[in-house]
Amino acid sequence: MKKGLLFLFLALSITLIACGQEEDIDTLDKHKGTIVSIEKKNEDSDSFEGWYFMLVISDVKDVNISKKDDDELKELAKEKDGAYYNVPPTIYKSSDLKVGNQVVAYFDKESQAESNPPVRDAEKIDE
């Protein structure tokens, strides 16, 4: 009897944990756009060592991004709903993230830095 209850408790716990993770993605905000720059963080940045810093802008279909420097891309991001994303190495390595790719970045709006363009932590990225 005790083994049956233990098994039932474990099964319910695993189910609740799995369902909770699925719901987390559903509660995140989404940003669809084009990657216009991506670089690996410096080794001296303490909490983000090995992470990537990516700029995603919503509507750049009619813009030649290859001829723009970092300051021009930042200004374009301010005009066209762009945002910087801190991308953990696990997400970066499991994706094929390159400048010019269309992506959907998932993020928690509560953790967004109040800057223009905003800086967000990517929770998930779909290509």
Side-chain angles (χ1 to χ4, degrees), residues 60-71:
V60 293
K61 293 175 190 157
D62 301 329
V63 179
N64 185 352
I65 59 172
S66 65
K67 300 209 183 242
K68 299 206 177 289
D69 64 22
D70 288 341
D71 290 334

Side-chain angles (χ1 to χ4, degrees), residues 95-114:
S95 305
D96 186 27
L97 302 176
K98 295 178 186 166
V99 171
N101 286 11
Q102 290 282 327
V103 295
V104 177
Y106 295 83
F107 64 96
D108 181 1
K109 200 170 197 168
E110 304 262 329
S111 65
Q112 170 178 295
E114 292 191 31

Side-chain angles (χ1 to χ4, degrees), residues 29-93:
D29 289 290
K30 298 178 199 176
H31 177 205
K32 183 177 181 181
T34 303
I35 300 172
V36 298
S37 76
I38 190 164
E39 62 187 55
K40 191 169 186 177
K41 293 255 188 183
N42 292 335
E43 296 300 320
D44 14 330
S45 44
D46 44 346
S47 61
F48 290 104
E49 185 176 336
W51 286 48
Y52 292 80
F53 197 54
M54 178 174 73
L55 178 57
V56 176
I57 302 178
S58 292
D59 185 21
V60 293
K61 293 175 190 157
D62 301 329
V63 179
N64 185 352
I65 59 172
S66 65
K67 300 209 183 242
K68 299 206 177 289
D69 64 22
D70 288 341
D71 290 334
E72 291 171 318
L73 289 173
K74 185 176 181 178
E75 286 304 312
L76 186 63
K78 289 178 184 179
E79 296 168 15
K80 295 188 173 273
D81 188 33
Y84 288 101
Y85 289 90
N86 294 309
V87 181
T90 53
I91 291 176
Y92 184 82
K93 290 175 183 172

